[in-house]
Amino acid sequence: MNGNLNQRTAITDTLPTVFGYIGIGIAFGIVGKAAGFSPFVVTLMSLLIYAGSAQFITVTMLVSHSPILSIIFSTFLVNARMILMSMTLAPFFKKESLAKNLFLGTLLTDESFALGMNKLNHTGGKLNFSWMNTANWIAYLTWIISTFVGSVIGNLITDPNKYGLDFAIVAMFIGLLYLQVISDRSLHRLLQLLVILFTLILVYLGLIVIPSNLLIVIVTLLGCGFGVIIKHAFF
């Protein structure tokens, strides 16, 4: 990454994350096809829902004939973390119109959020609409194309886990976390590692008693609180 915030730089910055979208997108397409949905329906889900894990849940609930309201509520719960992410990015786009802010929030993903946070380390704490919008669109289009491809080849690959496609998104986030830690010089390295360790412990223990979808939001809030407290107390 560098300090430029133009469209060309956004493409370069976003390309490393594309493989994560491709892996999980193909996996979703295969799952959707196996559940009996046509490539058109699978692709339409990605166009309209565009919510990664929530789409897997939607397919499962549709197959089990769950009520529409239950599906809507589940999708909202799974993606509630996006509210926190959007609120974190919003201050960097105060000069943009409400329409542009809503558009950025609509296409925001975990990956583009992480990229944005990492980009701040190279731009002196600045972001702009052009860079962020380009990053979001690359993610959106890659996801749609990948799910379509997955639904088309669904008859050929019946078990996506066999090829490690399920681990693609995990590997991508490990890489993004590493880049964030080594790039952010505004925070002490020990502070970052302590917050990461605290988060890992919370996730490990929380999965025992809390649904994973709700756990993400809870751990995010507790992790942020922990980081603020120890930063002011010891750093």
Side-chain angles (χ1 to χ4, degrees):
M1 281 191 176
N2 55 45
N4 296 327
L5 284 168
N6 51 49
Q7 291 182 340
R8 178 175 295 182
T9 304
I11 294 173
T12 304
D13 293 340
T14 310
L15 281 180
T17 69
V18 165
F19 297 102
Y21 294 116
I22 292 174
I24 302 302
I26 290 176
F28 171 72
I30 294 171
V31 169
K33 178 66 175 179
F37 296 104
S38 67
F40 172 76
V41 173
V42 171
T43 306
L44 190 62
M45 287 185 188
S46 293
L47 278 166
L48 300 180
I49 301 177
Y50 186 47
S53 57
Q55 290 182 217
F56 285 91
I57 294 174
T58 299
V59 167
T60 302
M61 296 183 74
L62 286 172
V63 171
S64 61
H65 304 289
S66 299
I68 294 299
L69 287 179
S70 298
I71 296 175
I72 293 174
F73 179 75
S74 298
T75 302
F76 171 79
L77 185 62
V78 170
N79 290 281
R81 69 189 185 282
M82 304 309 298
I83 299 175
L84 298 176
M85 294 181 186
S86 297
M87 290 173 63
T88 302
L89 285 177
F92 300 103
F93 300 96
K94 287 182 178 179
K95 296 181 179 180
E96 303 292 349
S97 65
L98 176 61
K100 286 186 175 181
N101 274 275
L102 289 174
F103 192 67
L104 289 178
T106 299
L107 294 183
L108 184 67
T109 66
D110 297 295
E111 296 81 6
S112 60
F113 171 80
L115 279 174
M117 291 295 98
N118 193 25
K119 189 69 175 179
L120 292 172
N121 299 318
H122 302 271
T123 61
K126 297 179 181 179
L127 289 175
N128 64 21
F129 179 81
S130 178
W131 184 92
M132 198 73 213
N133 185 53
T134 302
N136 280 346
W137 268 102
I138 291 175
Y140 185 48
L141 294 176
T142 303
W143 176 255
I144 293 170
I145 294 171
S146 299
T147 55
F148 173 75
V149 171
S151 65
V152 171
I153 66 175
N155 293 327
L156 302 176
I157 303 177
T158 56
D159 183 13
N161 294 344
K162 179 180 178 181
Y163 299 92
L165 295 179
D166 58 321
F167 189 71
I169 200 79
V170 178
M172 181 181 62
F173 274 115
I174 292 174
L176 288 173
L177 176 61
Y178 172 74
L179 291 174
Q180 175 69 16
V181 171
I182 65 173
S183 301
D184 192 350
R185 298 173 183 173
S186 63
L187 298 174
H188 196 283
R189 185 65 53 80
L190 179 59
L191 171 61
Q192 297 182 68
L193 294 177
L194 286 174
V195 173
I196 292 172
L197 178 61
F198 179 75
T199 302
L200 290 175
I201 294 173
L202 281 183
V203 171
Y204 179 79
L205 297 177
L207 284 172
I208 300 174
V209 294
I210 303 174
S212 59
N213 300 328
L214 182 60
L215 181 64
I216 296 174
V217 178
I218 295 176
V219 170
T220 298
L221 294 173
L222 293 177
C224 290
F226 174 77
V228 170
I229 292 173
I230 64 172
K231 177 184 178 183
H232 288 288
F234 304 104
F235 297 92

